[in-house]
Amino acid sequence: MSAHTLTVAGVAVDTRHWIGGERVASPQTFPDVSPIDGGTIGEISRGTAGEAAAAVAAAQAAFPAWAATSRTERARILHAIADGVEKRLEELAIVETTDNGALLRSHRRGVMPRVAHNFRFFADWLLKLEHEDFETRGHTNHVSWDPAGPCVLITPWNAPLMLATWKVAPALAAGNTVVLKPAEWSPLTASLLADIAAEAGLPAGVLNVVQGYGAEIGDALTSHPDVRRISFTGSVPTAQRIAESAAANLTPLSLELGGKSPLLVFADADLDLAVDLAVEQYDNAGQVCLAGTRLLVEETVAEEFTRRFAEKASALKQGDPRAEATDIGPTIHPRQLEKIDGFVRRAVAAGARAVIGGHRKDGQYYAPTLLTDVAQDSEIVQEEVFGPVLTLQTFTDEEEAVRLANDTRFGLAATLATGDPERAERVTARLVAGTVWVNCFFVRDLRAPFGGSRLSGVGREGGTWSFDFYCDLRNTVTAPNGWTNHG
């Protein structure tokens, strides 16, 4: 076995970059640490500007041939990648759980099947992508989607492979080449994806994977003049730096950023359902951008809701994410744990009351927390914590509910629990959010547009919206009877 290969739960993972169809090592490395026990999994190649330049060059060199590849062939290869994901589903699941601490049962049953689905969906969507021709004064307009060029995709640590392939699959389907930069806290499954893609027959240079810190390799990627698209999921401050870096080349951006989403519970709601929806916000230890972390409950049912919520949430089992019975795993990194704890400590010092939780546990675990007695303008209500911390506020009527729901800088998602369909229609029409769920949560369909408003992001992806971003749209206008045969 190579000196650059780790064995993670029995699975071999190469720690080097994947550039131009070859493994490339860097002189320096960085440690990859498992949040489960804080132990170092191994040392990962630490790329800098040199590796960034090489990866973009490889993507640029591979672009003409891949762009000229027929839609049918591109779709076939994407389906072959999906086959490879399904073949190695168990390996991908255990490696990602070891790397980022999310539940193994969720990776097996939901996350990794979704990875395969990402490739199959965009492969199939590509084959039916079309716009009906239309006429202007007898002239025919024909809309087409042309490959844009090399794309830089920078992905987060909370759902590493699923969110990476949510970007990689449409970019490749569109005929682009890709440089994927996974988060340094969870890089391992991106390396496995490179192996799977190569085995599926994806030509060298079409997908490149580089690892490292944002300041050392990310800036070099986002400022490169040959990059034609940048897609990023992560924090607002990082997105602002990426936007500044991309501005010199006017590189188009797609940004899916933070959220501080509301979950509104009206008195006419099914309270058992509302409680279930609220407790579900602790999924992945609260490390979900879409989570409805601000519980807004109608005053007349707030006491009963809080009692039921505390009872149900307190029964959640927190521990090793590899255990089938575990409901909540660890936070990703000691730095993230300290950030979460800091938010809660400052909130309590300012007068908030912890109904449940409010403290760290052994290792990198933070107790599921619900804070009440919080002011609308307080930090804990206005800023994204990205951990298992919810706040609860009350409202007296629809007007106040909507006002509180919209009173942040974000607008990623919202969840509404009500038994009145007319109220649901009125309220959802006024919420500032890219996605609104009514009496449900986290139901996602790749045919739907996904993205955020305000500081929650720029652009929409999913279905044709993804191709609109990853392509240069062309409209060809042809004159009527304009053909002359010069024989």
Side-chain angles (χ1 to χ4, degrees):
M1 186 173 289
S2 165
H4 299 288
T5 301
L6 299 176
T7 301
V8 183
V11 182
V13 184
D14 202 301
T15 63
R16 295 171 291 181
H17 313 285
W18 178 255
I19 299 175
E22 296 181 351
R23 289 291 178 179
V24 177
S26 295
Q28 293 183 300
T29 62
F30 64 91
D32 183 30
V33 177
S34 175
I36 299 174
D37 57 11
T40 298
I41 301 171
E43 295 290 327
I44 311 299
S45 277
R46 179 175 165 180
T48 56
E51 288 85 354
V56 174
Q60 180 78 329
F63 173 66
W66 182 245
T69 301
S70 70
R71 287 188 178 191
T72 302
E73 178 62 8
R74 273 186 257 151
R76 185 193 68 77
I77 292 177
L78 263 62
H79 275 291
I81 295 174
D83 292 341
V85 169
E86 290 172 348
K87 181 179 178 181
R88 301 187 65 179
L89 190 146
E90 181 65 22
E91 295 179 5
L92 292 166
I94 189 60
V95 169
E96 189 144 297
T97 290
T98 304
D99 206 16
N100 87 328
L103 299 184
L104 179 57
R105 72 171 193 240
S106 295
H107 280 140
R108 284 172 170 160
R109 299 172 191 172
V111 178
M112 294 309 161
R114 169 65 184 271
V115 169
H117 177 62
N118 284 343
F119 284 105
R120 296 201 192 282
F121 173 87
F122 286 107
D124 293 341
W125 201 266
L126 169 66
L127 296 180
K128 62 184 180 183
L129 183 66
E130 63 179 354
H131 190 292
E132 185 178 349
D133 288 352
F134 55 97
E135 290 195 0
T136 305
R137 299 190 301 277
H139 296 65
T140 301
N141 293 263
H142 177 74
V143 175
S144 58
W145 287 261
D146 299 334
C151 301
V152 165
L153 312 179
I154 302 175
T155 54
W157 44 259
N158 58 323
L161 191 58
M162 192 275 284
L163 291 177
T165 56
W166 159 249
K167 301 176 187 294
V168 169
L172 295 181
N176 299 321
T177 51
V178 165
V179 179
L180 171 63
K181 193 274 183 195
E184 60 268 25
W185 288 352
S186 56
L188 298 183
T189 49
S191 180
L192 293 176
L193 177 64
D195 294 336
I196 291 169
E199 291 166 4
L202 191 69
V206 174
L207 172 65
N208 306 275
V209 179
V210 291
Q211 302 140 163
Y213 298 124
E216 296 178 348
I217 192 169
D219 290 346
L221 290 171
T222 56
S223 63
H224 199 293
D226 291 335
V227 171
R228 295 315 314 139
R229 294 291 186 275
I230 299 170
S231 182
F232 169 73
T233 298
S235 71
V236 171
T238 301
Q240 290 168 330
R241 291 196 296 272
I242 290 173
E244 291 175 1
S245 180
N249 302 309
L250 294 179
T251 309
L253 297 168
S254 176
L255 305 173
E256 196 268 279
L257 310 177
K260 195 67 181 176
S261 301
L263 193 163
L264 296 84
V265 179
F266 285 90
D268 58 16
D270 177 335
L271 272 196
D272 287 334
L273 170 65
V275 166
D276 287 345
L277 293 174
V279 172
E280 194 176 348
Q281 308 310 307
Y282 290 130
D283 181 50
N284 201 17
Q287 299 168 134
V288 178
C289 58
L290 294 160
T293 57
R294 294 185 296 130
L295 308 183
L296 304 177
V297 184
E298 192 163 354
E299 198 171 68
T300 56
V301 296
E303 183 177 349
E304 178 65 13
F305 173 89
T306 303
R307 183 190 66 78
R308 294 193 201 182
F309 175 90
E311 181 179 346
K312 190 173 186 68
S314 296
L316 294 173
K317 182 176 177 59
Q318 188 166 27
D320 191 324
R322 295 166 295 192
E324 182 72 16
T326 299
D327 298 306
I328 301 179
T331 56
I332 182 73
H333 192 274
R335 198 186 320 167
Q336 185 67 16
L337 180 65
E338 184 60 36
K339 176 186 172 186
I340 295 166
D341 191 45
F343 270 113
V344 174
R345 284 188 285 105
R346 291 190 297 273
V348 171
R353 179 174 69 91
V355 176
I356 60 169
H359 58 86
R360 301 165 70 145
K361 302 175 78 172
D362 291 341
Q364 286 177 212
Y365 295 80
Y366 200 88
T369 297
L370 176 66
L371 300 176
T372 60
D373 301 332
V374 292
Q376 179 63 22
D377 61 355
S378 63
E379 177 192 55
I380 196 67
V381 170
Q382 293 293 325
E383 299 298 328
E384 185 178 44
V385 177
F386 219 65
V389 178
L390 310 181
T391 60
L392 189 149
Q393 299 166 269
T394 62
F395 63 84
T396 57
D397 55 27
E398 280 185 24
E399 192 65 31
E400 185 179 20
V402 171
R403 178 181 62 79
L404 292 173
N406 289 338
D407 187 21
T408 73
R409 302 177 300 155
F410 301 100
L412 186 57
T415 303
L416 173 64
T418 178
D420 184 345
E422 293 182 356
R423 166 173 281 148
E425 186 174 352
R426 288 194 304 271
V427 172
T428 56
R430 298 177 62 192
L431 294 175
V432 179
T435 300
V436 180
W437 287 287
V438 179
N439 294 328
C440 61
F441 177 65
F442 219 51
V443 178
R444 295 278 302 278
D445 193 310
L446 288 177
R447 294 172 294 182
F450 178 75
S453 304
R454 298 176 176 167
L455 289 189
S456 287
V458 176
R460 295 290 187 272
E461 295 186 59
T464 301
W465 292 276
S466 285
F467 287 95
D468 288 347
F469 172 70
Y470 286 111
C471 291
D472 288 326
L473 287 171
R474 179 199 304 272
N475 185 42
T476 302
V477 184
T478 303
N481 304 317
W483 307 109
T484 301
N485 188 349
H486 294 289

